[in-house]
Amino acid sequence: MIRQVRGQILSVEPLGVVIDIAGFGIFVRLANPAALTVGKEATVLTHMAVKQDGIELYGFLDPADLSFFELTLAVPGVGPKTALSLLRRSSREQLEGAIGKRDIAYLTRVVGLGKKSAEKIVVEMADKVGANAHDGEDAEVFDTLIALGYTEREARRSLAAIDKAIVGKEARLRAALSNK
């Protein structure tokens, strides 16, 4: 199993990056490919998924994100693309907090899961992740941003960019509004 790749970033694409490894351009799917820069050397931790139609690498810059991703894969019915999509839409810390607090509303509104999928993830993962996120006010902040005219994607990005130290619905809303 390929657990890490290191090389020069050849291109940054919407779903990942192409890394030059010994003359081969290897595509690695990432939650946030924009964090890497073309021409720079990068080390990416990876999870290799073998499927009928080929092999895919899923990459992470933070070992904790890789651990969360692999923990999510243990949930029945959740594949690597869905697990990576969760990390693309919300930070690991916010996801862990929502799961630890069994906040189905956050997972359905902010992360975009269906109710059954969100419940399944909460049931399978709640005891395995720490409850270290916010008090669930992000679902209300998300709804407020939508009411103010944000698209769902813009609202998710604004929420993901909020500093973890900011607590309270009003303070998080102000921070989200300044992130647009």
Side-chain angles (χ1 to χ4, degrees):
M1 181 171 268
I2 300 171
R3 295 300 288 170
Q4 173 181 304
V5 294
R6 180 177 50 234
Q8 182 179 13
I9 304 299
L10 297 177
S11 69
V12 176
E13 300 176 12
L15 298 177
V17 296
V18 177
I19 302 176
D20 179 20
I21 302 168
F24 293 96
I26 306 295
F27 182 74
V28 180
R29 293 181 179 276
L30 292 169
N32 184 13
L36 298 176
T37 307
V38 173
K40 300 281 184 175
E41 176 105 358
T43 300
V44 179
L45 303 169
T46 61
H47 173 86
M48 185 172 74
V50 180
K51 303 183 337 184
Q52 288 180 331
D53 60 346
I55 296 171
E56 292 185 336
L57 285 178
Y58 294 84
F60 305 90
L61 302 177
D62 182 349
D65 287 347
L66 174 60
S67 295
F68 180 83
F69 173 84
E70 290 178 337
L71 187 62
T72 305
L73 290 178
V75 176
V78 176
K81 288 183 181 175
T82 301
L84 190 66
S85 176
L86 294 175
L87 290 167
R88 183 173 283 124
R89 295 177 178 184
S90 185
S91 72
R92 174 186 40 80
E93 294 87 356
Q94 290 173 322
L95 288 167
E96 287 176 341
I99 291 167
K101 294 176 182 176
R102 302 176 189 277
D103 188 354
I104 302 296
Y106 179 86
L107 295 172
T108 55
R109 288 187 201 138
V110 178
V111 181
L113 288 173
K115 186 175 181 183
K116 286 184 180 181
S117 296
E119 289 171 347
K120 188 184 296 186
I121 286 174
V122 164
V123 166
E124 295 286 332
M125 295 178 61
D127 296 332
K128 299 174 185 171
V129 298
N132 61 355
H134 308 289
D135 295 327
E137 68 268 1
D138 282 349
E140 292 180 51
V141 173
F142 179 80
D143 288 342
T144 304
L145 292 173
I146 296 298
L148 291 172
Y150 280 58
T151 65
E152 286 189 18
R153 185 177 196 154
E154 290 170 336
R156 286 186 186 110
R157 282 189 181 153
S158 291
L159 282 172
I162 297 173
D163 185 357
K164 295 160 204 65
I166 299 174
V167 293
K169 183 173 62 174
E170 291 80 14
R172 292 187 62 74
L173 178 60
R174 279 193 295 277
L177 290 170
S178 67
N179 287 333
K180 185 169 185 185

